[in-house]
Amino acid sequence: MSNLWIRIDDADTVTKNRALHALNSAGLEVADAWLGTPDLTHEIETRLGHRRDWAGVTLGGAIAAGFGAGAWALWNLGGWWIAAAIVCTAIALFGVVGFFADLQKKPRKEDEAA
């Protein structure tokens, strides 16, 4: 037996009964069905294994902070160092993008779920 989780925002009893009828009409046997509460929704999402990539968040933050500080220091030196500061700023922006990209929750890959 396999579990199938269906999430429908603002579902009511009528919506649940329609979904059950459609599944039964398709020849699928439904063992249990219930309307979700916020606690149940949180538990299901936890079971699905959504997670953040903390290594990527740390790396992105370190790159952003390190190269951002380097860009600021080089900018304050002035002269030709401003060209290096521009390069450091670009790398720092790359770190910021990576930081926020890895901060988003993503589903686990199948090989990581086991």
Side-chain angles (χ1 to χ4, degrees), residues 9-28:
D9 291 332
D10 299 326
D12 55 6
T13 306
V14 174
T15 305
K16 180 187 90 168
N17 290 336
R18 285 181 184 166
L20 288 174
H21 179 69
L23 291 171
N24 288 329
S25 296
L28 297 172

Side-chain angles (χ1 to χ4, degrees), residues 64 67-68 70-72 75 82-96:
F67 281 93
W72 179 78
W75 188 269
I82 291 176
I86 293 171
V87 173
C88 283
T89 301
I91 296 172
L93 289 175
F94 175 75
V96 169

Side-chain angles (χ1 to χ4, degrees), residues 5-87:
W5 304 95
I6 300 173
R7 179 179 176 177
I8 303 171
D9 291 332
D10 299 326
D12 55 6
T13 306
V14 174
T15 305
K16 180 187 90 168
N17 290 336
R18 285 181 184 166
L20 288 174
H21 179 69
L23 291 171
N24 288 329
S25 296
L28 297 172
E29 180 182 335
V30 178
D32 290 315
W34 60 92
L35 291 174
T37 62
D39 293 334
L40 179 63
T41 302
H42 176 70
E43 180 181 340
I44 291 170
E45 287 177 351
T46 302
R47 285 187 185 184
L48 289 176
H50 286 74
R51 65 176 185 87
R52 290 184 171 97
D53 182 7
W54 291 111
V57 170
T58 304
L59 181 62
I63 289 172
F67 281 93
W72 179 78
L74 290 170
W75 188 269
N76 285 334
L77 286 175
W80 286 99
W81 291 107
I82 291 176
I86 293 171
V87 173

